[in-house]
Amino acid sequence: MVDVADPVCGPGEVLLRVRAASLCGTDNHIYHWDASIRPRIEKATGGVSRSLTIGHEFCGDVVEVGSEVRGVARQASEPIEVGDFVSAESHIVCWECYSCRRGQHHLCERDVILGVERDGGFAEYVAIPATCAWVNREPMVPEVASVLEPFGNAVHAATEYPLEDASVVIFGAGPIGLFTVVVALAEGARDVVVVDPMAFRLDLAKKVGATRCIETVALPADDAAGREAERQRVVRAIHESCADGRVDLCFEMSGHPDAIDNALRALRRGGKMIAFGLSRDNEVPFRRYSQDVVFGGITVKGIIGRKIYDTWYRTRALTAQPDVREKIQTVVTDVLPFQDWNIGFEKMARRESGKVVLRLD
Amino acid sequence: MVDVADPVCGPGEVLLRVRAASLCGTDNHIYHWDASIRPRIEKATGGVSRSLTIGHEFCGDVVEVGSEVRGVARQASEPIEVGDFVSAESHIVCWECYSCRRGQHHLCERDVILGVERDGGFAEYVAIPATCAWVNREPMVPEVASVLEPFGNAVHAATEYPLEDASVVIFGAGPIGLFTVVVALAEGARDVVVVDPMAFRLDLAKKVGATRCIETVALPADDAAGREAERQRVVRAIHESCADGRVDLCFEMSGHPDAIDNALRALRRGGKMIAFGLSRDNEVPFRRYSQDVVFGGITVKGIIGRKIYDTWYRTRALTAQPDVREKIQTVVTDVLPFQDWNIGFEKMARRESGKVVLRLD
Amino acid sequence: MVDVADPVCGPGEVLLRVRAASLCGTDNHIYHWDASIRPRIEKATGGVSRSLTIGHEFCGDVVEVGSEVRGVARQASEPIEVGDFVSAESHIVCWECYSCRRGQHHLCERDVILGVERDGGFAEYVAIPATCAWVNREPMVPEVASVLEPFGNAVHAATEYPLEDASVVIFGAGPIGLFTVVVALAEGARDVVVVDPMAFRLDLAKKVGATRCIETVALPADDAAGREAERQRVVRAIHESCADGRVDLCFEMSGHPDAIDNALRALRRGGKMIAFGLSRDNEVPFRRYSQDVVFGGITVKGIIGRKIYDTWYRTRALTAQPDVREKIQTVVTDVLPFQDWNIGFEKMARRESGKVVLRLD
Amino acid sequence: MVDVADPVCGPGEVLLRVRAASLCGTDNHIYHWDASIRPRIEKATGGVSRSLTIGHEFCGDVVEVGSEVRGVARQASEPIEVGDFVSAESHIVCWECYSCRRGQHHLCERDVILGVERDGGFAEYVAIPATCAWVNREPMVPEVASVLEPFGNAVHAATEYPLEDASVVIFGAGPIGLFTVVVALAEGARDVVVVDPMAFRLDLAKKVGATRCIETVALPADDAAGREAERQRVVRAIHESCADGRVDLCFEMSGHPDAIDNALRALRRGGKMIAFGLSRDNEVPFRRYSQDVVFGGITVKGIIGRKIYDTWYRTRALTAQPDVREKIQTVVTDVLPFQDWNIGFEKMARRESGKVVLRLD
């Protein structure tokens, strides 16, 4: 923890007094200065000569509004004023590239990420572009408002295809997998099955409403027969958990090749798999490509970030429901004072937590 | 060639006098009694005790209309009468299963395929359900009408996502890949690049309008460095062939793992890959799953059959254009009298043909 | 009440023992032999020489399954068996016309309506095509199951455009307007405002969750200034009831010209109006066509019937929620024994009821 | 014609040397200082104390790029440089209001229109926001580039619903109606019928490819029987001109109540009407609202402006076709030197022209 100069609020920006910030796996990689993230940060900071305030999941109160941010206009929907309580969208997009011009800002070719390539929210004050400030209108405790960014990942993933009457399987019960349970149920999914190797996480899944939890068993890489038997057991358990044995939608939030394989096997013809989890190895075998993907008429869709602003409007509709806010709070297993940030990172490393939030107020 | 009893026209069926039938890879597998297709046919015919007339791409004239087929009604769009010239949809769907009830008849859970599980079109007469008879209205020679079934595969594949102003790459220049060139151009694609190892086929692609053809070089499986260099060369050539180096849509019609890999590498963020080609091995490695599919926000969509009847209406709109009919005829490289069917199969085996059509009239 | 011969179950039909049937405005028109409905029935029955059993909203137990109805198939989604408890889709569609072939069965050019053009459900037994039998899986009392047909109208109307985070106004608090309140809330609407002249109905709207009720005042046709003032008052009250004064979606369920006018005035730019209510006079003035419809970029969409079967699947997802079933029961204000049908019609005529259901079991 | 100070290029703007500008009905209203347009301009200019350069349809060469406009980036799609030849989007949108945040910039709540509320293109130089500058890549003569704004209206209108295999009727053969003929044909419409009272315009419609032209006869307002007979004649002629007598899509570009009525009568069940024409009187009677709109399941959709930037991308795809560019030039009946602007306005007033373009280079 160090003293840094108070950030300056640019003409198109707002200055926030941070109230809460939550830990993400990416922060953990930065904290441990992992090879996977180092180049991106070094490039952004111009080497290690300059420090960077990390943290891209946070909320705070507006204490200053830049001179070129439009004022309150009757009719205009999202004027920002001093005193507003906002959650931050972490991606600063360029609004000019091909993706942005086609309404796919989450795929911006020149995006800059708060807390990764520019100072973020693990600080008392942070300046962010007004376009990244989402005004919360619902009564919301800071630990909920600070996790709307990852919750928005789940909203984006879960609203890509219709959920009404759908049988859904979620592979991976980390925070975003758990949020996906919450969203899928709120949007009318019929069966919500969660598959994960850890009992602690499956317990959380049950608490937020999963209709069935399936615990997987890790087997040594060289036990081919055992692993195939395990795969068959898992797919059978999935089918038995869904009405008519029909799986409409799989959310792959773990990045594990076996999970990807199980997802494709379990899906009905015409089903969809959301690819969100990053695999440890870049290469992933699609074991039954012709059989499952082609003959099955299956769709695999990669999802990153949040749609700007469709996902945020949908997030608002969801968090307007007290029940949804309560479940988000259930996923937040640890709320710590800001100075205990290192305790938070340790809990995360042991994977004995849902989401960890640091409070500053 | 054998004499078979004339088929009987069931109450919901129409009887066709076949005018032309075309050869498909599946027919070739059956002709050679390949292990890949044998079980399905043996199951359908109850062992080899009963012969089956193959052929699932054909057209003919209606010579009898079943008693329960609805007559001509003012307003009704598709009445069928004796004398109509029809192309056959090869999939007989159940109209009752979940897929059918949700409008996804091409994914019917109980479909029966003409010429595979029931007598098909390599015969003078064939009885088909009235729901499989598509009345051709446009002036059309039999060799064009007989290939509307595989042309419909291309229409289905190519109309899944918008093509206007799109830069498109097609991997595999077999008949359906070539038809995809025709459809993509007719629907407003900007760049249509074709990638294939065979010069003969790339020549055909050029003839039907491909804006750029890229010939690939096959390298021994153990030359890892050479293959990676070849992959980079192909992707670079693709990018140079497309406006802004941006590829919106890849059609994977070859089933070759290198083509699948190149397609995913070449696509822009948010791009789409249509998976139509069946790979020789069921397993296919996605070499850069996290990087391309997840971070790229890419969609991979398996396509089979034709949408009933959306694809057929779109096919009609396309074949109403003389230019499209002419190009379809270009893809039909060989028109043979029916008795020369074995010559046709041989040409196909040597891959020195586009589409081979047998004429009966 | 007369004795009629037991209906015969055709090969593609199922025979139901009716458990409940509900009264619809159309039944009322037939009961009073109104000029509006007479021609259609006389045409269907071949004059008055033959009696017709009316009733198109009903549910019952399957007591016989026709010989050509497919049996139970593993995988197939909707097998029907003796003992199943089904609700009836009232429209028998042809599956062959242009509308049906494009997946718009609710706009079938040759549809036949149960209880209007063919014997319906105000009887102990009724035979219906198996394609009209929707198997209820959720625990459901007969008075709820019997109103799924009109509830499906609301589902169809309310699921045409997204409801999440939407501010919605419903004009007309008859049974279908009330069902629309239920659906809109269940699908995530933010504000659900109901506008109606009758306090009794607005009370029901409040009971099923309307966030605001606005009572309109009827003024003499020649009081132009008064009517304009009333219109302005209503639109102002609507805007004050919606977040940001923004109305996304209006459901016009009354057919009243003033309601149509108010709906178009109230909508935000790009808003949508569902046109479901039939106006007494066929002609309706669009008072501010250029200003509201063209400059406003507004969409007006007529809705009839239910999508086959998308609406029914969505209905199932909704009625799986106990809260939704309870609210449907709230809209059913009167459950009478079958022999008291005339009491039911009288209640309906006085408009002092929500939905009236007759029980037969 | 007066001398005005050269406009200054703001930091987010580009300065154009105008090459051509075309006349629009709105310019005509301003030229005659009509009551309909006066208030909007007086409000924008702060009374008449300040002059305004009108003209909102124009093209020109970039001669200066503002300091904050992003430079050329590899990958970025639309960098702007001095020397680029651009067409102008006339609507300056706020990017911040609810409509803009939902991707509906054409319905921006705070839009400012070039040539109406801010200096436009009837001048040698004009400064416009970089976001309004669309770089033309296709070889295009100035008279074509200058009309892409109204052509974009037609593109927006015609691409709202699918056109493939559609039977289309266009009411009103002014420039935008004529452009709609061009777009509908290029996008695969089957029948394109044009209805208008003026033979001169119907001749132009024929020239750009209309498959059938129907000339309407104006009858005195008090000849009710004659007008009804005329309506029936027109609808009958429309049905006879379309395959199966089925009309999928009507474009109402005239604003005439009889045209609106004929459009709704002519449409098939489930058909769509695009409402683009402004009626002289704001009130328009929907003569058969219940019968056509509700029972017909018809959609009426108001269209204004162009989608930013979807319409422009689609416009690019269309104008890449030489045939489309040629037809646009056919609709431009008059190309005059800039100083003859008054001759142009006179031609327009007599309605003896398609589009009138003024050249400055």
Side-chain angles (χ1 to χ4, degrees):
Chain A
M1 271 190 116
V2 296
D3 280 327
V4 293
D6 279 352
V8 175
C9 181
E13 300 183 342
V14 294
L15 185 68
L16 303 185
R17 200 197 168 289
V18 178
R19 294 185 56 187
S22 46
L23 305 190
C24 168
T26 306
D27 301 322
N28 206 20
H29 288 302
I30 300 174
Y31 176 62
H32 291 103
W33 205 233
D34 281 356
S36 66
I37 196 76
R38 225 183 302 162
R40 186 158 191 176
I41 294 190
E42 288 186 346
K43 188 177 160 210
T45 57
V48 288
S49 60
R50 195 189 142 268
S51 70
L52 175 87
T53 304
I54 64 170
H56 57 275
E57 304 176 6
F58 57 90
C59 63
D61 294 318
V62 176
V63 293
E64 190 181 337
V65 176
S67 58
E68 285 177 16
V69 177
R70 300 240 190 154
V72 179
R74 218 185 55 80
Q75 293 277 351
S77 300
E78 306 295 342
I80 298 177
E81 292 184 295
V82 168
D84 279 340
F85 177 45
V86 310
S87 293
E89 161 59 53
S90 59
H91 288 232
I92 307 175
V93 301
C94 79
W95 303 95
E96 286 181 19
C97 72
Y98 181 79
S99 291
C100 284
R101 282 196 156 197
R102 297 313 293 257
Q104 298 191 295
H105 308 85
H106 58 293
L107 300 172
C108 173
E109 296 161 7
R110 301 189 283 207
D111 59 349
V112 170
I113 303 182
L114 289 169
V116 177
E117 287 150 319
R118 185 181 143 149
D119 284 335
F122 288 174
E124 203 177 346
Y125 291 97
V126 59
I128 64 174
T131 51
C132 290
W134 181 259
V135 179
N136 291 308
R137 291 169 170 182
E138 275 59 43
M140 216 179 280
V141 292
E143 50 265 38
V144 170
S146 82
V147 301
L148 292 193
E149 199 261 20
F151 182 75
N153 286 136
V155 173
H156 183 189
T159 54
E160 194 62 29
Y161 299 108
L163 281 162
E164 297 84 10
D165 197 33
S167 290
V168 162
V169 185
I170 296 162
F171 295 83
I176 297 177
L178 295 168
F179 287 147
T180 306
V181 176
V182 178
V183 179
L185 287 166
E187 300 267 341
R190 179 182 188 134
D191 306 296
V192 178
V193 179
V194 178
V195 182
D196 196 278
M198 299 188 64
F200 174 86
R201 292 172 155 207
L202 292 175
D203 274 353
L204 277 175
K206 267 263 175 280
K207 273 185 195 149
V208 294
T211 54
R212 172 84 186 273
C213 289
I214 298 172
E215 196 173 331
T216 55
V217 180
L219 290 168
D222 58 0
D223 180 5
R227 293 181 73 173
E228 176 60 25
E230 168 70 0
R231 278 197 288 267
Q232 288 178 14
R233 181 189 70 83
V234 170
V235 171
R236 211 164 39 234
I238 289 171
H239 284 159
E240 285 164 9
S241 310
C242 293
D244 305 315
R246 163 171 66 79
V247 177
D248 301 289
L249 202 45
C250 286
F251 293 92
E252 209 305 291
M253 319 306 261
S254 75
H256 198 288
D258 281 348
I260 294 168
D261 193 47
N262 287 341
L264 295 174
R265 286 189 194 208
L267 281 171
R268 70 165 171 91
R269 297 189 87 183
K272 271 100 180 175
M273 183 185 103
I274 295 293
F276 184 89
L278 299 170
S279 64
R280 197 175 298 251
D281 300 315
N282 208 351
E283 177 167 330
V284 169
F286 273 44
R287 294 207 185 87
R288 314 197 311 172
Y289 173 82
S290 302
Q291 190 174 343
D292 291 337
V293 179
V294 182
F295 277 127
I298 280 177
T299 306
V300 175
K301 180 153 191 20
I303 289 282
I304 55 164
R306 290 147 301 283
K307 283 195 185 163
I308 295 172
Y309 294 92
D310 282 355
T311 299
W312 284 99
Y313 281 102
R314 197 109 170 200
T315 296
R316 166 174 297 166
L318 286 161
T319 55
Q321 304 171 35
D323 177 51
V324 168
R325 293 200 301 271
E326 216 168 274
K327 286 177 172 178
I328 293 175
Q329 229 168 330
T330 302
V331 175
V332 177
T333 49
D334 299 84
V335 182
L336 304 169
F338 192 68
Q339 53 271 33
D340 292 346
W341 54 275
N342 50 348
I343 301 176
F345 276 118
E346 279 154 29
K347 284 214 120 183
M348 243 181 102
R350 286 197 306 272
R351 299 173 87 184
E352 280 171 10
S353 59
K355 199 79 192 169
V356 178
V357 176
L358 307 176
R359 286 284 296 257
L360 278 93
D361 54 351
Chain B
M1 273 189 114
V2 294
D3 280 326
V4 293
D6 281 352
V8 175
C9 181
E13 299 182 343
V14 294
L15 185 67
L16 303 185
R17 200 195 168 290
V18 178
R19 293 183 59 185
S22 46
L23 305 190
C24 168
T26 305
D27 300 323
N28 206 21
H29 289 302
I30 300 174
Y31 176 62
H32 290 103
W33 205 232
D34 282 356
S36 65
I37 196 76
R38 225 183 302 162
R40 186 158 191 177
I41 295 190
E42 287 185 348
K43 189 178 160 209
T45 57
V48 288
S49 60
R50 194 189 143 268
S51 71
L52 176 86
T53 304
I54 64 169
H56 57 274
E57 304 175 7
F58 57 90
C59 63
D61 295 317
V62 176
V63 292
E64 190 181 337
V65 176
S67 59
E68 285 177 16
V69 177
R70 300 242 190 152
V72 179
R74 218 185 55 78
Q75 293 276 349
S77 302
E78 306 296 342
I80 298 177
E81 292 183 294
V82 167
D84 279 341
F85 177 46
V86 310
S87 293
E89 160 59 53
S90 60
H91 289 233
I92 306 175
V93 302
C94 79
W95 303 95
E96 287 181 17
C97 71
Y98 181 79
S99 290
C100 284
R101 283 197 154 196
R102 298 312 294 256
Q104 299 191 295
H105 308 87
H106 58 293
L107 300 173
C108 173
E109 296 160 8
R110 302 188 283 207
D111 59 350
V112 170
I113 303 182
L114 289 169
V116 176
E117 287 150 321
R118 184 183 145 150
D119 283 335
F122 288 173
E124 204 178 344
Y125 291 96
V126 59
I128 63 173
T131 51
C132 290
W134 181 259
V135 179
N136 290 309
R137 293 170 168 178
E138 276 58 44
M140 216 180 281
V141 292
E143 49 265 39
V144 169
S146 82
V147 301
L148 292 193
E149 199 260 21
F151 182 75
N153 287 136
V155 174
H156 183 188
T159 55
E160 193 62 30
Y161 300 108
L163 281 162
E164 296 84 9
D165 197 34
S167 290
V168 162
V169 185
I170 297 162
F171 295 83
I176 297 178
L178 294 168
F179 287 147
T180 306
V181 176
V182 178
V183 179
L185 286 166
E187 300 267 341
R190 179 182 188 134
D191 306 296
V192 178
V193 180
V194 179
V195 182
D196 196 277
M198 299 188 64
F200 175 86
R201 294 173 155 206
L202 292 175
D203 274 352
L204 277 175
K206 268 262 173 281
K207 274 186 195 146
V208 294
T211 55
R212 171 84 185 273
C213 289
I214 298 171
E215 197 173 331
T216 55
V217 180
L219 290 168
D222 58 359
D223 180 5
R227 295 181 71 173
E228 175 60 24
E230 167 70 359
R231 278 197 288 267
Q232 288 179 14
R233 182 190 69 84
V234 171
V235 171
R236 212 163 38 233
I238 289 170
H239 284 159
E240 284 163 10
S241 310
C242 293
D244 305 315
R246 162 172 66 79
V247 177
D248 301 289
L249 203 44
C250 285
F251 293 93
E252 209 305 290
M253 319 306 261
S254 76
H256 198 289
D258 280 347
I260 294 167
D261 193 47
N262 286 341
L264 295 174
R265 286 189 194 208
L267 281 171
R268 70 165 171 92
R269 298 190 86 182
K272 272 99 180 177
M273 183 186 103
I274 295 293
F276 183 88
L278 299 170
S279 64
R280 197 175 297 252
D281 300 315
N282 208 351
E283 176 166 331
V284 169
F286 273 45
R287 294 206 186 87
R288 312 199 310 173
Y289 174 81
S290 302
Q291 190 175 343
D292 291 338
V293 179
V294 182
F295 277 128
I298 280 177
T299 305
V300 175
K301 179 151 191 22
I303 289 281
I304 56 165
R306 291 147 301 282
K307 282 195 185 164
I308 295 173
Y309 293 93
D310 282 355
T311 300
W312 285 99
Y313 281 103
R314 197 109 170 201
T315 296
R316 166 174 297 165
L318 287 161
T319 55
Q321 305 171 34
D323 177 52
V324 168
R325 293 200 301 270
E326 215 169 275
K327 286 178 172 178
I328 293 175
Q329 228 167 329
T330 302
V331 174
V332 177
T333 50
D334 299 84
V335 182
L336 305 169
F338 192 67
Q339 52 272 32
D340 292 346
W341 53 274
N342 49 349
I343 300 176
F345 276 118
E346 279 154 29
K347 284 213 120 182
M348 243 182 100
R350 285 198 306 272
R351 300 172 88 184
E352 279 170 10
S353 59
K355 200 79 193 171
V356 178
V357 175
L358 308 176
R359 285 284 295 256
L360 278 93
D361 53 352
Chain C
M1 273 190 117
V2 295
D3 282 326
V4 293
D6 280 353
V8 175
C9 181
E13 299 183 341
V14 294
L15 185 67
L16 303 184
R17 198 194 170 292
V18 178
R19 293 184 58 186
S22 47
L23 305 190
C24 168
T26 306
D27 300 323
N28 206 20
H29 288 303
I30 300 174
Y31 176 62
H32 290 102
W33 206 233
D34 280 356
S36 65
I37 196 75
R38 227 184 298 162
R40 186 158 192 177
I41 295 189
E42 287 186 348
K43 189 178 159 208
T45 57
V48 289
S49 60
R50 198 189 140 266
S51 72
L52 177 88
T53 305
I54 65 169
H56 57 275
E57 304 175 5
F58 56 91
C59 63
D61 295 317
V62 175
V63 292
E64 190 180 338
V65 176
S67 58
E68 286 178 16
V69 176
R70 301 240 190 153
V72 179
R74 217 186 56 78
Q75 292 276 352
S77 302
E78 307 295 341
I80 298 177
E81 293 183 293
V82 167
D84 279 341
F85 178 46
V86 310
S87 292
E89 162 58 53
S90 59
H91 288 232
I92 306 174
V93 301
C94 79
W95 303 94
E96 288 181 17
C97 71
Y98 180 79
S99 291
C100 284
R101 282 195 155 196
R102 297 313 292 259
Q104 299 190 296
H105 308 86
H106 58 293
L107 299 173
C108 172
E109 296 162 7
R110 301 188 285 206
D111 60 349
V112 170
I113 303 181
L114 289 169
V116 177
E117 287 150 320
R118 185 182 144 149
D119 282 336
F122 289 174
E124 203 177 346
Y125 291 97
V126 60
I128 64 173
T131 51
C132 290
W134 181 259
V135 179
N136 290 309
R137 293 170 167 179
E138 276 58 44
M140 217 180 282
V141 292
E143 49 265 38
V144 169
S146 81
V147 301
L148 291 192
E149 197 260 21
F151 182 75
N153 287 136
V155 173
H156 183 189
T159 54
E160 194 63 30
Y161 299 108
L163 281 161
E164 297 83 9
D165 197 33
S167 290
V168 161
V169 185
I170 297 163
F171 295 82
I176 297 177
L178 294 168
F179 287 146
T180 306
V181 176
V182 178
V183 179
L185 287 167
E187 300 267 340
R190 180 183 188 134
D191 306 294
V192 178
V193 180
V194 178
V195 182
D196 196 277
M198 297 189 64
F200 175 86
R201 294 171 153 206
L202 291 176
D203 274 353
L204 278 175
K206 268 262 175 279
K207 274 184 195 150
V208 293
T211 54
R212 171 83 186 273
C213 289
I214 298 171
E215 196 174 332
T216 54
V217 179
L219 289 168
D222 58 359
D223 180 5
R227 294 181 71 173
E228 176 59 26
E230 168 68 0
R231 279 196 288 266
Q232 289 179 12
R233 180 188 71 83
V234 170
V235 171
R236 211 162 39 233
I238 288 170
H239 284 160
E240 285 163 9
S241 310
C242 293
D244 304 315
R246 163 171 66 80
V247 177
D248 300 289
L249 202 44
C250 286
F251 293 93
E252 209 305 291
M253 318 306 262
S254 75
H256 198 288
D258 281 347
I260 294 167
D261 192 49
N262 287 341
L264 294 173
R265 286 189 193 207
L267 281 171
R268 70 165 171 91
R269 297 190 87 181
K272 272 99 179 176
M273 183 185 103
I274 295 293
F276 183 88
L278 299 170
S279 64
R280 197 175 297 252
D281 300 315
N282 208 350
E283 176 167 333
V284 169
F286 274 45
R287 293 206 186 87
R288 313 199 311 175
Y289 173 82
S290 303
Q291 190 174 343
D292 291 338
V293 178
V294 182
F295 276 127
I298 280 176
T299 305
V300 175
K301 179 149 190 25
I303 290 282
I304 55 164
R306 289 147 302 282
K307 283 194 184 164
I308 295 171
Y309 295 91
D310 282 356
T311 299
W312 284 100
Y313 281 103
R314 196 110 171 201
T315 295
R316 166 174 297 166
L318 287 161
T319 55
Q321 305 171 34
D323 176 52
V324 168
R325 292 200 301 270
E326 212 168 279
K327 284 177 173 180
I328 293 175
Q329 228 167 332
T330 302
V331 174
V332 176
T333 49
D334 299 83
V335 183
L336 304 170
F338 192 67
Q339 53 270 33
D340 291 346
W341 53 275
N342 50 347
I343 300 176
F345 276 118
E346 278 155 29
K347 283 213 122 183
M348 243 182 103
R350 286 198 305 272
R351 300 172 89 185
E352 279 171 10
S353 59
K355 199 78 191 171
V356 178
V357 175
L358 307 177
R359 287 283 295 257
L360 277 93
D361 54 351
Chain D
M1 274 190 115
V2 295
D3 282 326
V4 294
D6 280 353
V8 175
C9 181
E13 299 184 341
V14 294
L15 186 66
L16 303 184
R17 199 194 169 292
V18 178
R19 293 184 57 186
S22 47
L23 305 190
C24 169
T26 306
D27 300 321
N28 206 20
H29 287 302
I30 300 174
Y31 175 62
H32 290 103
W33 205 235
D34 281 355
S36 66
I37 195 75
R38 226 183 301 162
R40 186 157 190 177
I41 295 189
E42 288 186 347
K43 191 179 159 208
T45 57
V48 288
S49 60
R50 198 189 140 266
S51 70
L52 177 87
T53 305
I54 65 170
H56 58 275
E57 304 175 7
F58 57 90
C59 64
D61 295 317
V62 174
V63 292
E64 190 181 339
V65 176
S67 58
E68 286 177 15
V69 177
R70 301 241 190 152
V72 180
R74 218 186 56 78
Q75 293 277 350
S77 302
E78 306 294 342
I80 298 177
E81 293 184 294
V82 168
D84 278 342
F85 178 45
V86 309
S87 292
E89 161 58 53
S90 59
H91 288 232
I92 307 174
V93 302
C94 79
W95 303 94
E96 288 182 16
C97 71
Y98 181 80
S99 291
C100 284
R101 284 196 153 195
R102 298 313 292 258
Q104 299 191 295
H105 308 86
H106 58 293
L107 299 173
C108 171
E109 296 161 8
R110 302 188 284 207
D111 60 349
V112 169
I113 303 180
L114 289 169
V116 177
E117 287 150 321
R118 185 182 143 149
D119 282 336
F122 288 174
E124 203 177 345
Y125 291 97
V126 60
I128 64 172
T131 51
C132 289
W134 181 259
V135 179
N136 290 309
R137 293 169 168 179
E138 276 58 44
M140 215 179 282
V141 292
E143 48 266 39
V144 169
S146 81
V147 301
L148 292 192
E149 197 260 22
F151 182 74
N153 287 136
V155 173
H156 182 189
T159 55
E160 193 63 30
Y161 300 107
L163 281 162
E164 296 86 7
D165 197 34
S167 290
V168 161
V169 185
I170 296 163
F171 295 83
I176 297 177
L178 294 168
F179 287 146
T180 306
V181 175
V182 178
V183 179
L185 286 166
E187 301 266 341
R190 179 182 189 135
D191 306 295
V192 178
V193 180
V194 178
V195 182
D196 195 278
M198 298 188 66
F200 174 87
R201 294 172 153 205
L202 292 176
D203 274 353
L204 278 175
K206 267 263 174 277
K207 274 184 196 150
V208 294
T211 55
R212 170 84 187 272
C213 289
I214 298 171
E215 196 174 332
T216 55
V217 180
L219 290 168
D222 59 359
D223 180 5
R227 295 180 71 173
E228 175 59 25
E230 168 69 1
R231 278 195 289 265
Q232 289 179 14
R233 181 189 70 83
V234 170
V235 171
R236 212 162 39 233
I238 289 170
H239 284 160
E240 285 163 9
S241 310
C242 293
D244 305 315
R246 163 171 67 79
V247 177
D248 300 289
L249 202 43
C250 286
F251 293 92
E252 209 306 292
M253 317 307 261
S254 76
H256 198 289
D258 280 348
I260 294 167
D261 192 48
N262 286 341
L264 294 174
R265 286 189 193 207
L267 282 171
R268 71 165 170 90
R269 297 190 87 182
K272 272 98 179 178
M273 183 185 104
I274 295 293
F276 183 89
L278 299 170
S279 65
R280 197 175 297 252
D281 300 315
N282 208 350
E283 176 166 332
V284 169
F286 273 45
R287 292 206 186 88
R288 312 199 311 174
Y289 173 81
S290 302
Q291 190 174 344
D292 292 337
V293 178
V294 182
F295 276 127
I298 280 177
T299 305
V300 175
K301 178 149 190 26
I303 289 282
I304 56 165
R306 289 146 304 282
K307 283 195 185 164
I308 296 171
Y309 293 92
D310 282 355
T311 299
W312 285 99
Y313 281 102
R314 196 109 172 202
T315 295
R316 166 174 297 166
L318 287 161
T319 55
Q321 304 171 35
D323 176 52
V324 168
R325 293 201 300 271
E326 214 169 275
K327 285 178 172 179
I328 293 175
Q329 229 167 330
T330 302
V331 174
V332 177
T333 50
D334 300 84
V335 182
L336 305 169
F338 192 67
Q339 52 270 33
D340 292 345
W341 54 274
N342 49 348
I343 300 176
F345 277 118
E346 277 155 30
K347 283 212 122 183
M348 243 183 101
R350 286 198 305 272
R351 301 173 87 184
E352 279 171 9
S353 59
K355 199 78 192 172
V356 178
V357 175
L358 308 176
R359 286 284 295 258
L360 277 93
D361 54 352

